Amino acid sequence: MSDQRSTAYDESTGPVEPTSRRPADRETWASLYTLLAEGLKHPDERLHRDVKTGRFAAELTDLAETLSVPVPDGPGTPDAVPAGRAAFDNEYVALFEGLRVPYAPLIESVYRPWYDTAASEGLRSGPPAADMQDRYDAAGIAVPPAYPPDHLALLLEYAAVLLRAGERKGYLRFLDRHLGWLPALRRMAHEAAANAPFHSYCVDAVCETVAAARGREGIAPPRSDVVEEMIDRVERRVE
């Protein structure tokens, strides 16, 4: 992948810089990835409080506007969030972990081709997970036991690590290799049975953010037939 890319253009704001060149922009992109990652983890008390008070939405809006990333409007007022953290977590589980079906897994391996072996089906430990585990081991990063190595929240945090380390070429390869399945995730989230407005919004915001990052770096979106294959693969695996 070439490291020489032209400046992208946004019709509403004019020319926009790629995500990984200027240090200040790298830090802002890294902060945006990290914030979105928090929105795609099991909600703890801090996230629940930040969403209820509107702090999460305000920070997301500020980062997105700084980078001219067109994230969608928020999922309504903070009052729409469940009063208790446990109920908030139940919405997360319903949308992403199959408490209600159909649902939208946040695990890259579910969307990707598997090893050519008889034991090639399942939700975890596919080729993307193996690659990510190798990356974490090489970097000395411990994977939280609650998440597989290719969980989207961890992928976003890893993208932030690459940006903060100034690893431009590695970041571009990572964007291309590990974040091309998000259009399929978005479709699955829109068709899911769960009523989880905040978490559905986070999926939309992540998809818009990653699409903007890939576009500014000259990385083409996945073809529609490839997205359909991913969706078919997920539907077979989560039945």
Side-chain angles (χ1 to χ4, degrees), residues 29-115:
W29 277 99
S31 296
L32 180 55
Y33 286 143
T34 301
L35 179 66
L36 290 169
E38 290 303 311
L40 293 176
K41 294 178 182 178
H42 278 277
D44 57 15
E45 293 290 350
R46 178 179 178 180
L47 177 65
H48 183 244
R49 180 184 68 248
D50 286 351
V51 175
K52 288 285 290 182
T53 61
R55 181 176 178 179
F56 182 96
E59 185 175 351
L60 177 59
T61 298
D62 180 61
L63 291 169
E65 288 182 349
T66 298
L67 296 168
S68 298
V69 172
V71 296
D73 293 335
T77 66
D79 292 339
V81 178
R85 188 202 62 80
F88 195 31
D89 188 62
N90 284 341
E91 290 187 351
Y92 177 98
V93 174
L95 180 59
F96 296 135
E97 296 183 354
L99 183 62
R100 298 188 63 188
V101 293
Y103 68 105
L106 292 175
I107 303 168
E108 184 185 3
S109 289
V110 188
Y111 297 79
R112 300 291 197 181
W114 278 66
Y115 303 107

Side-chain angles (χ1 to χ4, degrees), residues 18-236:
T19 59
S20 54
R21 287 187 177 161
R22 296 187 300 183
D25 287 348
R26 289 200 300 267
E27 178 56 36
T28 306
W29 277 99
S31 296
L32 180 55
Y33 286 143
T34 301
L35 179 66
L36 290 169
E38 290 303 311
L40 293 176
K41 294 178 182 178
H42 278 277
D44 57 15
E45 293 290 350
R46 178 179 178 180
L47 177 65
H48 183 244
R49 180 184 68 248
D50 286 351
V51 175
K52 288 285 290 182
T53 61
R55 181 176 178 179
F56 182 96
E59 185 175 351
L60 177 59
T61 298
D62 180 61
L63 291 169
E65 288 182 349
T66 298
L67 296 168
S68 298
V69 172
V71 296
D73 293 335
T77 66
D79 292 339
V81 178
R85 188 202 62 80
F88 195 31
D89 188 62
N90 284 341
E91 290 187 351
Y92 177 98
V93 174
L95 180 59
F96 296 135
E97 296 183 354
L99 183 62
R100 298 188 63 188
V101 293
Y103 68 105
L106 292 175
I107 303 168
E108 184 185 3
S109 289
V110 188
Y111 297 79
R112 300 291 197 181
W114 278 66
Y115 303 107
D116 188 18
T117 66
S120 64
E121 295 297 321
L123 289 180
R124 302 182 181 216
S125 302
D131 179 67
M132 289 308 304
Q133 187 64 62
D134 289 343
R135 289 169 179 264
Y136 297 136
D137 290 345
I141 299 172
V143 177
Y147 303 100
D150 57 340
H151 189 281
L152 181 54
L154 304 191
L155 300 184
L156 294 170
E157 290 180 336
Y158 187 79
V161 168
L162 293 174
L163 283 171
R164 287 177 169 136
E167 296 285 349
R168 175 171 167 74
K169 291 184 178 179
Y171 169 71
L172 297 181
R173 287 194 295 269
F174 182 77
L175 270 182
D176 193 17
R177 182 170 181 176
H178 278 284
L179 292 174
W181 55 283
L182 299 193
L185 167 64
R186 193 175 201 172
R187 279 267 303 276
M188 295 298 297
H190 287 179
E191 297 172 4
N195 179 25
F198 170 76
H199 301 295
S200 296
Y201 169 74
C202 284
V203 170
D204 285 338
V206 168
C207 289
E208 291 292 342
T209 298
V210 171
R214 286 166 59 95
R216 293 179 194 185
E217 299 291 0
I219 302 172
R223 301 191 317 270
S224 59
D225 61 311
V226 173
V227 174
E228 292 298 330
E229 288 175 0
M230 291 180 183
I231 292 170
D232 289 344
R233 200 173 287 127
V234 176
E235 290 174 344
R236 292 196 308 271

